Amino acid sequence: MDSGTPISEVPYRYDVTHRSAEVVAGWDRLGAGEESGDVVSVAGRVMLLRTQGKVAFAQLRDSSGAVQLFAQSGVTEDLDGFARLNLGDWIGARGEVVRTRRGELSVKVREWVLLAPARRSFGDKWRGVSDVETRYRQREVDLWANESSRRTLRIRSELVRALRERMWALGFVEVETPMLHVVHSGGEARPFRTHHNALGLDLFLRVAPELYLKRLVVGGFEKVFEIGRNFRNEGISPRHNPEFTMLEAYWAYADYQDVMALFEELVAGVAADVVATTELTYQGRPLDLTPPWRRATMTELISEHTGHSLSVRTPRDELAGLLASTGASVEESWGPGKLLAEYYEKTTETELWGPVFVCDFPEEVSPLARRHRDGPGLVERFEPVVAGRELGNAFSELVDPDDQRERFAAQAARRAAGDEEAMALDEEYLRAIEYGLPPTGGLGLGVDRLAMLLTDSANIREVIAFPTLRPERGEGSAQ
RNA sequence: GCGCCUCUAGCUCAACGGCAGAGCAACGGACUCUUAAUCCGCAGGUUGGGGGUUCGAAUCCCCCGGGGCGCACCA
């Protein structure tokens, strides 16, 4: 465990000339037993070490891959020290690029230096670490031990980049809006509460940036987007983390039909960028993201999956009875729209493999969406559903301040009735759209959920570097 | 929040009512072309914590804690 060098004596920097993958690719044509005459410096972590008396082989891994180090008596300084390295030690090594007699491209070490000793070991050198709790709590260990974890987080990073670049290319302007909100609004969810000392003000962590983004549209940003964290004080599940990343975008002069086309092109585009195909396999089932995606109304899909022909005009008692028959609880305050949406979620949504755009939601459950141009009681809203879950949410935005005020009032009534998910009335937002919000299409896309699809991850925690867990020692709250 | 499953050495796992073990890592040693190198040696544990049943508990029961899955809530 002790490599001998006090940590205080390791160097402050190391000159790296090549990454391991560059060595492996750059001297590809070197024959077995040949020496190139080229000297390189590499650095990384020792993952395997085979000593053999006067010679030793190590696998050095860096972020690009791995390369073998070949140490030999008479060539390598401090061979004994090299042979005593521990798995997990960081070292820098300089030497000639050679290919061993057995054909392994290697750096034949002349000088090497310990950059950081590993006081703890990284698990079984062959089996790694598989305990999921260790993998999520000590992601640094997981990443060194498991190639699939490295790949998952790298794909997530590339996904975020691809989303940005495509939005930029489409002329959307990236903005940042507050995460500390005075008013809980913009999304139906229970918020986290926090406090600002100097202002003596209780604040909410945002559940969605929606209202601020639309205020920027009012301000003249005709195409805006934000990629950022939202916080929702709700249960944790394989598909839910309390903080999660959302892409939200607003597009002036567009409606939800335009947004549908944008959504499917964006998702298919980033899939092609990141995993080079739109034809995925998710959890063993084929999943084809190639546009165009199916468009179907919520009522059509309910009919397909349950045989019941329902709508927001179906008598409330009938809807309530059907919903109750699924085992779901029914609240007295719910109207037909809410009951219909609940019934859809209970019976149909999880059965949809998709991708499919579920269109035309009840107005009752959509306080920020514009009334459907030819469907009373409905709004122009869709949810893209993939693998039985929502990948996002989008609508023709509600632009009428009077209508918006009424919708907020309905939400306020629910809040008064004890519904902590209901939005509060946001006067600042109402004032903003009184200046005039043009026809606007908006969308939200769950970045973690999309990352799950692209990495074939069953659990959202796989695509979040440090998912929310209870504290290790069972202790209480933040210090 | 409720239900089911799970927790054994640093890691991966055995032992499933009868002496807590193995492989890898670590530690000591042999070996000048290895590929999870090999070989010899040594050490490693409050079996998640607490209580109970029993002649005897890692094993059965109860409570507590962490994690996973499902339900509920949601993207």
Side-chain angles (χ1 to χ4, degrees):
Chain A
M1 182 150 283
D2 179 15
S3 294
T5 304
I7 297 178
S8 60
E9 290 180 16
V10 303
Y12 282 80
R13 64 184 307 282
Y14 186 77
D15 274 314
V16 174
T17 64
H18 293 73
R19 306 207 307 157
S20 65
E22 292 169 342
V23 175
V24 171
W27 282 266
D28 184 42
R29 280 180 288 179
L30 203 61
E34 284 184 8
E35 306 196 331
S36 67
D38 304 317
V39 173
V40 300
S41 295
V42 292
R45 217 189 258 282
V46 175
M47 299 308 290
L48 294 171
L49 181 64
R50 299 176 287 275
T51 65
Q52 202 171 308
K54 296 295 189 342
V55 65
F57 302 88
Q59 185 192 71
L60 185 79
R61 196 155 82 206
D62 63 17
S63 62
S64 72
V67 66
Q68 178 166 274
L69 301 181
F70 176 22
Q72 189 174 33
S73 176
V75 175
T76 305
E77 73 179 23
D78 190 16
L79 177 65
D80 290 342
F82 188 92
R84 279 198 308 273
L85 284 166
N86 286 329
L87 301 190
D89 286 348
W90 293 82
I91 67 169
R94 181 171 179 79
E96 184 183 359
V97 179
V98 303
R99 193 178 290 281
T100 61
R101 286 177 220 156
R102 296 293 182 88
E104 183 80 16
L105 195 75
S106 308
V107 174
K108 194 168 183 180
V109 179
R110 294 178 183 173
E111 307 130 32
W112 63 276
V113 60
L114 182 69
L115 299 176
R119 286 185 176 174
R120 298 171 183 268
S121 64
F122 279 79
D124 190 288
K125 73 181 180 186
W126 180 240
R127 301 195 209 198
V129 174
S130 56
D131 177 67
V132 291
E133 189 172 351
T134 305
R135 291 187 46 240
Y136 296 150
R137 283 196 197 282
Q138 299 184 246
R139 189 66 94 174
E140 58 282 355
V141 174
D142 178 38
L143 289 170
W144 281 106
N146 297 306
E147 166 64 27
S148 63
S149 295
R150 293 195 290 278
R151 176 176 178 276
T152 294
L153 290 189
R154 190 171 298 122
I155 286 178
R156 185 204 171 100
S157 173
E158 290 165 4
L159 166 62
V160 172
R161 171 183 174 156
L163 286 169
R164 267 208 174 91
E165 290 184 342
R166 283 187 174 267
M167 293 303 284
W168 289 339
L170 290 166
F172 283 82
V173 174
E174 183 169 8
V175 298
E176 294 176 280
T177 64
M179 294 203 188
L180 297 176
H181 286 190
V182 176
V183 176
H184 164 47
S185 202
E188 290 186 74
R190 292 169 64 183
F192 285 94
R193 294 158 199 278
T194 186
H195 182 78
H196 188 276
N197 289 338
L199 293 178
L201 185 64
D202 287 332
L203 294 165
F204 299 104
L205 299 185
R206 73 176 179 198
V207 298
E210 172 155 358
L211 302 187
Y212 282 105
L213 289 171
K214 284 190 280 197
R215 287 170 69 178
L216 292 175
V217 178
V218 171
F221 283 90
E222 293 168 333
K223 288 178 162 184
V224 292
F225 79 102
E226 177 166 10
I227 294 176
R229 215 69 64 81
N230 291 348
F231 306 87
R232 298 194 179 175
N233 207 339
E234 289 159 353
I236 296 174
S237 84
R239 291 161 293 282
H240 301 270
N241 197 64
E243 50 180 308
F244 64 100
T245 301
M246 183 93 110
L247 164 67
E248 280 204 19
Y250 294 85
W251 178 10
Y253 321 127
D255 68 7
Y256 80 142
Q257 296 288 345
D258 297 313
V259 173
M260 261 181 250
L262 169 64
F263 197 101
E264 64 192 358
E265 290 297 333
L266 180 65
V267 170
V270 297
D273 293 342
V274 171
V275 294
T277 180
T278 55
E279 295 175 20
L280 310 179
T281 298
Y282 185 68
Q283 302 297 296
R285 278 183 71 176
L287 178 60
D288 189 354
L289 299 176
T290 310
W293 297 358
R294 183 184 175 201
R295 284 128 164 97
T297 66
M298 178 183 285
T299 52
E300 283 168 355
L301 291 165
I302 291 173
S303 174
E304 279 179 25
H305 285 265
T306 69
H308 291 295
S309 205
L310 304 173
S311 80
V312 287
R313 289 180 305 283
T314 303
R316 185 188 180 283
D317 289 349
E318 184 181 340
L319 290 169
L322 277 172
L323 181 57
S325 72
T326 68
S329 60
V330 177
E331 299 283 331
E332 200 55 42
S333 59
W334 291 353
K338 174 69 173 173
L339 293 167
L340 185 69
E342 287 286 323
Y343 188 65
Y344 155 76
E345 286 179 15
K346 276 285 171 302
T347 61
T348 303
E349 183 175 273
T350 54
E351 302 301 314
L352 299 173
W353 188 252
V356 55
F357 289 121
V358 181
C359 302
D360 300 348
F361 278 59
E363 178 190 322
E364 186 180 345
V365 296
S366 312
L368 301 170
R370 187 167 178 175
R371 290 181 204 280
H372 201 286
R373 63 196 77 182
D374 44 39
L378 300 177
V379 293
E380 295 196 356
R381 171 182 173 187
F382 72 85
E383 285 186 352
V385 174
V386 180
R389 54 187 86 124
E390 298 145 49
L391 188 59
N393 189 14
F395 25 91
S396 298
E397 300 298 333
L398 176 51
V399 295
D400 176 348
D402 296 326
D403 191 357
Q404 184 67 74
R405 185 175 289 278
E406 289 170 22
R407 306 282 192 93
F408 276 145
Q411 290 281 307
R414 284 180 44 199
R415 277 187 78 74
D419 184 348
E420 289 186 73
E421 292 172 12
M423 298 179 202
L425 189 151
D426 186 338
E427 284 288 357
E428 285 187 31
Y429 177 66
L430 287 171
R431 182 179 63 193
I433 64 174
E434 282 168 5
Y435 287 106
L437 176 64
T440 298
L443 71 86
L445 188 165
V447 173
D448 313 87
R449 293 258 175 104
L450 182 52
M452 289 171 70
L453 297 178
L454 298 183
T455 58
D456 195 18
S457 297
N459 192 316
I460 197 169
R461 291 174 161 177
E462 294 293 339
V463 303
I464 296 173
F466 298 99
T468 305
L469 297 174
R470 280 197 169 83
E472 279 185 76
R473 308 207 185 284
E475 290 178 8
S477 299
Q479 302 293 304

